[in-house]
Structures are given as C-alpha cells and as structure tokens.
Amino acid sequence: IWRCRSDPEYCLDVVDWCLGNLEKAHQLTRDLVDVLDAAGSTWTVGKDAVGSRQLQERTDPTVTALVQTAAPAGSREAVHLATAWSKTYGRDRDPSSAYREAVRAVEAVALKIVSPNNPMATLGSMIADMEAKPAKWKSVLKPSSGVSSVVQIVGMMKLLWKSQLDRHGTPDQNVPLNVSQEEAEAGLHLAAAIVHLFSSGAISVS
C-alpha cells in the first residue's frame, strides 16, 4: 500500500493485474469504474481479446464502440481488432504488435472476398489483386466525377500496409525499428474502418 501512495503508476499496474487475474475482480469492476469516472482518470476498465478485464486508456465512447462493432463478434477479424485495441490502449502497450494485429484484422476479413481460394494471401497480395482488376469488386459508394470507390478503398488498404515500416528487416538506418504509439492508434482506427467496409458488405464481388 505504501508504494502505491508514492508510485501511482505502480498502483495502476497492480489494479490492472488484479482485474485480469483475480476471479472475484468482476464484482468490484463497477465500483472501480465509478471511482475512476469520479476522479476524472484517464483510465477505465475494458476487456482484452479473450474477455479478461484490464485497465485501458479512456477514449471517446463513440469511437470505442465503432471499433468494437466493426466486425461480427467472435470472428477472427474481431479478435485481431480487440487485440490491437488492448495493445494500443492497455497498460502493457506494444505499438508494433498493435499495428500488426490491425493489419491482420484487415487480412482476415478481406481474404474472404478478395482471395477466398488463397489462404496464404497477405494484405500486399490482396492489394495487388484489386489493383490489377478493380472492376471485379463493387462498393455501395457511388462517387461522381469518375472517381472509383474501389480504387479509393484500395488506397486506404495501401496506406495501412505501406505505413507499417517495421514489417521487414532492413539495413536502412532511417527506417524506424518500431511503430510509434501515434502510428499504432492511427493504424488501428484506419483498419477498423476498412474491416467494417468488408464485413458490412459495403464492398463485395461485382
């Protein structure tokens, strides 16, 4: 207790551990949420990909809900998004792993539509397939002035893919070794939007 008084970060880590490891922690969750809310804490209680409770950075409830409902509950893409969220906003942050999970979420959902016969397809190969034959897919969005919505969606996918600079090893000293927290957050929310487009049927085979 004395260390918690002098080291708030340690105290948060202890609470986080208790939430995920003590069987009766769920009984205290509501009270803890109320205390955190009343204190104006930047932390609240959320769940990781396997449903274990943990402390997560507080975000706008609408934004949180958009990511959590971007894919059908229990689907592989939903699990990847939940893992990415946990690694982005949890106490034990890992931006590089979070970004990787965000990419995997898009791969999981897009593969069913873009490359259903290629279980080894990657985000890069699916982008190449869609760029090669954009007319093979359609979108519910019908922009004017000759703009292709499919091409724009591919652009979103490419932005996510090309921004994962730590994906491969390289001798280039200018390439960062890890994804930053800001990049992980942006990548997660971009991935959630793409996942929703595919999982909702907004983009499909023509």
Side-chain angles (χ1 to χ4, degrees), residues 32-81:
L32 176 59
V33 170
D34 290 341
V35 169
L36 293 172
D37 289 347
S41 175
T42 59
W43 299 95
T44 188
V45 178
K47 293 183 179 181
D48 63 16
V50 297
S52 295
R53 291 174 176 79
Q54 63 174 182
L55 286 180
Q56 294 180 351
E57 182 180 348
R58 191 184 303 276
T59 58
D60 184 282
T62 302
V63 174
T64 304
L66 285 173
V67 175
Q68 293 177 342
T69 60
S75 65
R76 184 57 65 89
E77 52 268 27
V79 172
H80 284 306
L81 281 179

Side-chain angles (χ1 to χ4, degrees), residues 97-117:
S97 293
Y99 202 108
R100 183 165 57 252
E101 289 297 322
V103 170
R104 287 175 174 174
V106 174
E107 290 175 334
V109 69
L111 186 145
K112 307 170 196 176
I113 296 171
V114 179
S115 306
N117 298 317

Side-chain angles (χ1 to χ4, degrees), residues 3 7-20 32 36 41-48 53-58 83-95 181:
R3 182 172 177 182
D7 188 348
E9 292 301 310
Y10 173 78
C11 184
L12 288 170
D13 286 339
V14 170
V15 171
D16 186 53
W17 184 90
C18 290
L19 284 170
L32 176 59
L36 293 172
S41 175
T42 59
W43 299 95
T44 188
V45 178
K47 293 183 179 181
D48 63 16
R53 291 174 176 79
Q54 63 174 182
L55 286 180
Q56 294 180 351
E57 182 180 348
R58 191 184 303 276
T83 302
W85 184 276
S86 177
K87 292 182 178 295
T88 300
Y89 293 111
R91 288 290 298 169
D92 188 19
R93 294 183 175 182
D94 187 344
Q181 177 66 22

